Amino acid sequence: MSSTLIVLNLKTYLEGTGEGAVKVAQACKEVADNSGIEIGVAPQFCDIYRVASQVDLPVYSQSLDPVGAGSFTGHAFVQSIKDAGAVGTLINHSECRLTLANIDASITTARDAGLKTVVCTNNVATSAAAAALGPDYVAVEPPELIGSGIPVSKADPGVVTGSVDAVKRINPAVQVLCGAGISKGEDLAAALELGSVGVLLASGIVKAADPKAALDDLVSKV
């Protein structure tokens, strides 16, 4: 298996909801098996068990709440997420922002439960701050490029190289993913050339007419 990691965020897209989530995950599994590249999916909370129980690939939660067992109505409890079959979680996505204290608490909560952590950031400074908290991955995504179809690797390569350098200085064990506008093979290849180990992406694959064909193209230049 390649050291490259692709994490596909299904968000709340209808195409990635319910049985749609399973179909997208199956496409990811097929492309992962054929390419040797690790591909994980981040479905909605209610679909974690559905996907994890039907498709053999890494499943991530889209977020979690740093709470324990007890009186926490409406929160996303880490034990429930893990028991549903997730192996990791996104934290601080631009559509689900957290304070620095809550990012730290979420990383600790996930780590204590044995879940991998992908902390989303939007620039070099926040990437450096996140790295100091010791997640497994930092995923740098300028929010203005998310869903734009304009890859960050082209629009703002400096934010990727700057984040890679900053993260390495602070905590060499933390790896960097690149996100925002990623959809094609040339985007993934450029992201890897800039020093990231993979990508976090969403609409370019989930909303594609043929997600498997889109994924085949994504990995075609690696």
Side-chain angles (χ1 to χ4, degrees):
M1 184 69 72
S2 166
S3 60
T4 301
L5 173 64
I6 296 170
V7 179
L8 182 60
N9 181 9
L10 306 189
K11 300 194 176 184
T12 58
Y13 294 132
L14 287 174
E15 297 88 343
T17 298
E19 284 304 311
V22 175
K23 291 178 181 178
V24 173
Q26 289 170 334
C28 290
K29 169 65 173 172
E30 187 172 347
V31 173
D33 287 347
N34 291 338
S35 66
I37 293 174
E38 182 176 351
I39 304 177
V41 296
Q44 297 162 53
F45 293 120
C46 293
D47 289 327
I48 292 175
Y49 179 77
R50 184 196 301 264
V51 172
S53 63
Q54 296 186 52
V55 187
D56 183 18
L57 87 171
V59 177
Y60 292 75
S61 173
Q62 293 183 5
S63 67
L64 58 75
D65 292 313
V67 300
S71 302
F72 298 102
T73 302
H75 289 77
F77 179 36
V78 66
Q79 191 62 50
S80 178
I81 289 169
K82 183 177 182 180
D83 288 350
V87 300
T89 184
L90 306 182
I91 295 170
N92 194 49
H93 190 274
S94 66
E95 296 159 359
C96 190
R97 288 277 179 85
L98 301 175
T99 65
L100 188 62
N102 277 338
I103 294 171
D104 187 22
S106 295
I107 292 171
T108 299
T109 298
R111 183 188 297 122
D112 289 348
L115 297 183
K116 294 180 181 178
T117 51
V118 180
V119 176
C120 300
T121 61
N122 64 340
N123 56 38
V124 175
T126 56
S127 296
L133 303 176
D136 294 290
Y137 298 91
V138 166
V140 59
E141 293 188 300
E144 65 273 15
L145 297 177
I146 293 176
S148 68
I150 304 171
V152 63
S153 52
K154 287 185 177 179
D156 192 1
V159 76
V160 181
T161 56
S163 291
V164 169
D165 290 343
V167 168
K168 283 183 177 178
R169 284 197 305 271
I170 292 167
N171 189 339
V174 178
Q175 301 188 82
V176 177
L177 301 176
C178 169
I182 305 294
S183 62
K184 301 182 182 301
E186 61 190 34
D187 303 336
L188 174 56
L192 297 177
E193 288 174 4
L194 292 171
S196 72
V197 299
V199 293
L200 172 64
L201 72 168
S203 61
I205 304 298
V206 184
K207 297 177 70 65
D210 185 341
K212 182 182 178 298
L215 284 162
D216 281 331
D217 179 74
L218 182 69
V219 302
S220 64
K221 298 185 184 302
V222 177

